[in-house]
Amino acid sequence: MPHESVSSAAEPAVAFGARLATSPAFKELFRDGMSLVEETAGYLDGPGRSESKSLERGAALAYATESMRLTTRLMQLASWLLLQRAVNEGELTQEQAAQEKSKVRLSSVGAPTPQATIDELPEALAGLIGKAMRLQERIIHMDRLLFGAERAEAPVAANAISGQMDLLAAAFNARR
């Protein structure tokens, strides 16, 4: 009896990326990301504003720097999530999303914030930074699953603005 192949050439391969992108895991990631954006905006526009006014000069500079880094990180992550959702809903093709995705920098915010700086920040801001870092890790992981390791964004050295902000923070801390 001739040996039959388990899979014929006519059967389409399972599109893992498409399935993952429309999975409950993506929907949860999207929900978590958008909730974190809202939570952060609420904090920075409300309690964070008053908390920052009571900080000493070095801590106030750290607050300003880290809140800017946090909002930049969240804008990039939200952009990635919205692009993927647009593909899922048929508003963009995968090719269009790939072109737009090239503008999104998942790891361009620079090096992680040193623990000594985190310790100077209000607890709520430090918590939001931690949540954003975990969200970033989850999105980078999903990006690699969707687009493959060869297309996933490689880590980028700290950008010039981040480096300058770190120098300013160091200068103000030295004057304390």
Side-chain angles (χ1 to χ4, degrees):
M1 188 164 172
H3 181 278
E4 288 188 35
S5 169
V6 174
S7 173
S8 72
E11 293 178 27
V14 174
F16 176 72
R19 290 241 172 141
L20 180 62
T22 58
S23 72
F26 174 77
K27 290 174 183 161
E28 179 183 352
L29 183 62
F30 185 86
R31 188 175 45 252
D32 291 350
M34 293 302 134
S35 293
L36 184 57
V37 168
E38 288 180 30
E39 180 183 357
T40 300
Y43 170 76
L44 293 175
D45 287 340
R49 203 172 282 223
S50 53
E51 286 179 352
S52 69
K53 292 177 182 175
S54 65
L55 297 172
E56 295 178 25
R57 184 170 32 185
L61 179 60
Y63 180 94
T65 301
E66 295 309 317
S67 62
M68 185 170 32
R69 289 174 87 185
L70 174 61
T71 55
T72 301
R73 177 176 285 116
L74 289 175
M75 285 190 308
Q76 295 297 312
L77 299 177
S79 295
W80 186 94
L81 289 166
L82 290 167
L83 274 173
Q84 192 54 55
R85 186 181 73 171
V87 171
N88 295 351
E89 295 179 355
E91 297 170 9
L92 290 177
T93 66
Q94 194 65 41
E95 294 76 27
Q96 291 169 320
Q99 287 177 340
E100 291 299 315
K101 183 181 168 295
S102 68
K103 299 173 189 172
V104 176
R105 300 285 174 230
L106 294 177
S107 39
S108 66
V109 184
T113 305
Q115 188 60 45
T117 301
I118 294 288
D119 293 342
E120 291 183 25
L121 299 173
E123 189 175 317
L125 181 60
L128 291 168
I129 290 168
K131 287 180 183 179
M133 295 299 290
R134 287 187 294 282
L135 178 67
Q136 181 177 1
E137 290 168 5
R138 290 172 60 199
I139 288 176
I140 288 171
H141 178 72
M142 185 166 283
D143 186 69
R144 287 185 179 135
L145 290 173
L146 287 170
F147 299 104
E150 70 281 352
R151 289 183 55 196
E153 184 179 326
V156 179
N159 65 32
I161 293 172
S162 176
Q164 293 300 313
M165 296 300 284
D166 291 342
L167 289 172
L168 280 170
F172 275 101
N173 286 334
R175 297 175 70 185
R176 285 170 82 172

